[in-house]
Amino acid sequence: MARKRHEDALATREQLLDAAERVFRRRGVGHTSLAEVADEAGVTRGAIYWHFKDKADLFQALVQRVEMPINAAMEEMSRASAADPLGAVRSLAVHALQGLAGCRRTQAVFDVVFLRCEYTEELAPVRARQLEDRKDCLRRCEAAFEQAIAKRQLPADTDARVAAQGLYAFVTGLMRTWVETPGRFDLGAVAPPLVDVFIAGLKTDPPRRAPAPRKPAAKRVRRPQAA
Amino acid sequence: MARKRHEDALATREQLLDAAERVFRRRGVGHTSLAEVADEAGVTRGAIYWHFKDKADLFQALVQRVEMPINAAMEEMSRASAADPLGAVRSLAVHALQGLAGCRRTQAVFDVVFLRCEYTEELAPVRARQLEDRKDCLRRCEAAFEQAIAKRQLPADTDARVAAQGLYAFVTGLMRTWVETPGRFDLGAVAPPLVDVFIAGLKTDPPRRAPAPRKPAAKRVRRPQAA
DNA sequence: TTACAAACATACATGACTGTATGTAAACTG
DNA sequence: CAGTTTACATACAGTCATGTATGTTTGTAA
């Protein structure tokens, strides 16, 4: 094939990512040869090796295509959490779930990420990035919960960290179970009430911080509340 | 090597499963060759092909080794749910989480199941079994929640099915996030309070069954949403 | 004691898949 | 308009995994 213009090359790149999405989903990342991806995209392996270093690089690019909107939503939460922290967290969780339910590409990528790939050494960079994203999300949620405590939206001795870990696990668990069997329930519909279950539970019976260890005759120290 | 007695052969089988657990965890199921498993077990591939049909069969046997305790716990819940359904569900969830936190073998298998394998065609039987287990768990939990409604432990219009799906997603989400980073938090310790958050939320603000539609054609508008 | 079959080990044929090296035609540059 | 670079296609070498076929040794039953 002949040389193309720059924009055509970018289109080829997108086609490769689209093709990889489909093939990875069908056959799994590890079981997919780059030849299959090339076939699906209507090119040869040469094109893949031109645009990407190897399969891991291709996969990473694939994931990054859908990460942006979620990160934007997290920024939004951090901004909105000054006024109504609990509402901001709720909004983020619901938005993330409905974003998955409503976007085909996100569904495909999450399907691959959750079910069709092995996190071994060759995908270490992808995995490291995921864990970094998770850490960031947990940090933000924990901060929001701390603000919620300060604003008396949550009990004073709520363990914000554990609460954040719980919410994260809940949301990602819903994502995974839904991706496993998309037909079984309407994620977009159940997301708001289910997130509300967790929020309501936090209000009435949250995980409590371990009380300050009371040694005999040691004075009790109140931890300063973050503002 | 020579022939062994029956019990020696069973021991070899267990060694193979142990070895597979370790190698699968390090390298991923798809990236592992049976030669590697054989090496790890100190035998040759011949032994593997004697005891198992192929890699998928080996993997399936590996998973089945840890399924028993969980299934037993589910039976137990169904039994106990007559007297205190909500307590039985809570107990099952906590028990499952602490069972993971406390058992090395379970941790290894869940690690492989969640992170080191691709659910493609060759693992279809394993996957089908998992989905069957999940369905069974959901059925039992839903039934327990129904009983909880009958006993006024939950509001009358609680949607038991959605509640069960939520709890299942929550528990498996916790399992997965913990397996991803076992050092980050103490699963055994946070399990009870976090499960209680969900239960408490169900009591005060559960997902409600859709009220009987007064007008037949009240159509929901679905908005396509990016991420 | 023989005969069979269990429980593996060994050897082989086959078929990918990967990475790279090289070819090539068109687009771009000066 | 000639040279250069881009954007691929093609060809090649080497490795590696799989499944099976076959060999080997030894419990065990008759």
Side-chain angles (χ1 to χ4, degrees):
Chain A
M1 185 179 292
R3 186 185 171 188
K4 296 173 177 176
R5 291 171 313 177
H6 187 62
E7 57 175 28
D8 293 332
L10 288 183
T12 300
R13 197 187 124 100
E14 292 300 305
Q15 283 172 32
L16 282 171
L17 290 172
D18 293 345
E21 254 176 41
R22 292 193 296 271
V23 182
F24 284 171
R25 199 172 181 180
R26 281 206 303 271
R27 311 241 311 129
V29 177
H31 294 77
T32 297
S33 71
L34 293 183
E36 289 177 279
V37 175
D39 278 2
E40 177 84 15
V43 296
T44 67
R45 279 169 49 240
I48 297 182
Y49 279 102
W50 174 256
H51 286 285
F52 307 97
K53 187 172 155 290
D54 51 20
K55 203 204 285 179
D57 189 39
L58 172 62
F59 180 67
Q60 186 151 18
L62 197 139
V63 173
Q64 284 184 8
R65 273 211 298 187
V66 302
E67 269 183 350
M68 266 178 27
I70 295 176
N71 289 344
M74 287 211 314
E75 298 280 353
E76 172 60 25
M77 176 190 70
S78 290
R79 219 171 303 126
S81 73
D84 175 13
L86 218 51
V89 172
R90 186 204 116 103
S91 179
L92 172 65
V94 171
H95 187 270
L97 289 166
Q98 292 185 335
L100 172 61
C103 174
R104 273 287 174 75
R105 168 155 297 162
T106 307
Q107 288 166 29
V109 173
F110 274 59
D111 185 306
V112 173
V113 162
F114 278 136
L115 302 171
R116 323 289 183 188
C117 84
E118 300 174 359
Y119 293 100
T120 126
E121 195 164 347
E122 82 171 324
L123 292 188
V126 186
R127 179 154 183 64
R129 204 194 157 86
Q130 285 180 11
L131 291 180
E132 212 43 55
D133 286 353
R134 167 181 155 185
K135 225 167 127 181
D136 181 54
C137 181
L138 285 177
R139 262 199 17 252
R140 288 171 191 269
C141 287
E142 183 183 342
F145 282 140
E146 292 287 3
Q147 289 181 316
I149 294 169
K151 280 192 181 304
R152 321 263 174 200
Q153 291 182 318
L154 289 177
D157 61 346
T158 300
D159 189 327
R161 164 162 299 182
V162 173
Q165 284 166 336
L167 180 62
Y168 184 89
F170 186 32
V171 170
T172 57
L174 274 171
M175 288 176 164
R176 187 184 150 100
T177 53
W178 183 74
V179 161
E180 276 183 336
T181 56
R184 286 280 173 71
F185 60 99
D186 183 343
L187 181 62
V190 302
L194 278 181
V195 171
D196 285 336
V197 167
F198 192 85
I199 301 283
L202 281 183
K203 285 183 189 165
T204 63
D205 189 9
R208 314 278 180 175
R209 283 198 310 268
R214 47 192 167 86
K215 292 176 184 175
K219 63 178 178 179
R220 308 199 46 167
V221 182
R222 272 235 166 256
R223 290 177 63 85
Q225 310 256 53
Chain B
M1 188 177 289
R3 184 185 171 184
K4 295 174 177 176
R5 290 170 315 177
H6 188 62
E7 56 176 28
D8 292 333
L10 287 183
T12 301
R13 196 187 124 99
E14 292 300 305
Q15 282 171 33
L16 281 171
L17 290 172
D18 292 344
E21 252 176 43
R22 292 192 295 271
V23 182
F24 284 171
R25 198 171 182 181
R26 281 206 302 273
R27 312 240 311 129
V29 176
H31 293 78
T32 297
S33 72
L34 293 184
E36 289 176 279
V37 175
D39 279 2
E40 177 83 15
V43 296
T44 68
R45 279 169 50 239
I48 298 181
Y49 278 102
W50 174 257
H51 286 284
F52 307 97
K53 188 172 156 289
D54 52 19
K55 203 203 287 178
D57 189 39
L58 171 62
F59 180 67
Q60 185 151 17
L62 197 141
V63 173
Q64 285 185 7
R65 272 210 298 187
V66 302
E67 270 184 349
M68 267 177 25
I70 295 176
N71 288 346
M74 287 211 312
E75 299 281 353
E76 171 60 25
M77 176 190 70
S78 290
R79 219 171 302 126
S81 73
D84 175 13
L86 218 49
V89 172
R90 186 205 115 104
S91 179
L92 171 66
V94 171
H95 186 270
L97 290 167
Q98 292 183 336
L100 172 61
C103 173
R104 272 288 173 74
R105 168 155 299 162
T106 307
Q107 288 166 30
V109 173
F110 274 60
D111 185 309
V112 173
V113 163
F114 278 136
L115 301 171
R116 324 290 182 187
C117 85
E118 300 174 358
Y119 294 100
T120 129
E121 195 164 346
E122 81 170 322
L123 292 188
V126 187
R127 179 151 183 66
R129 206 195 155 83
Q130 284 180 12
L131 291 180
E132 214 42 56
D133 286 352
R134 167 181 155 186
K135 225 167 128 180
D136 182 53
C137 181
L138 285 177
R139 262 198 15 252
R140 288 172 190 269
C141 287
E142 184 182 341
F145 283 141
E146 293 286 3
Q147 289 181 314
I149 294 168
K151 280 193 179 306
R152 321 263 174 201
Q153 290 182 318
L154 288 178
D157 60 346
T158 300
D159 188 327
R161 164 162 299 182
V162 173
Q165 285 165 336
L167 181 62
Y168 184 88
F170 186 31
V171 170
T172 57
L174 273 171
M175 287 175 164
R176 186 184 151 101
T177 53
W178 183 74
V179 161
E180 275 183 336
T181 56
R184 285 279 174 72
F185 60 100
D186 183 345
L187 180 62
V190 302
L194 278 181
V195 171
D196 285 336
V197 167
F198 193 85
I199 301 282
L202 281 183
K203 286 183 189 165
T204 63
D205 188 9
R208 315 279 180 174
R209 284 197 309 270
R214 278 182 294 182
K215 292 183 178 181
K219 203 169 164 187
R220 267 189 59 114
V221 184
R222 184 174 276 285
R223 53 187 170 169
Q225 189 170 338

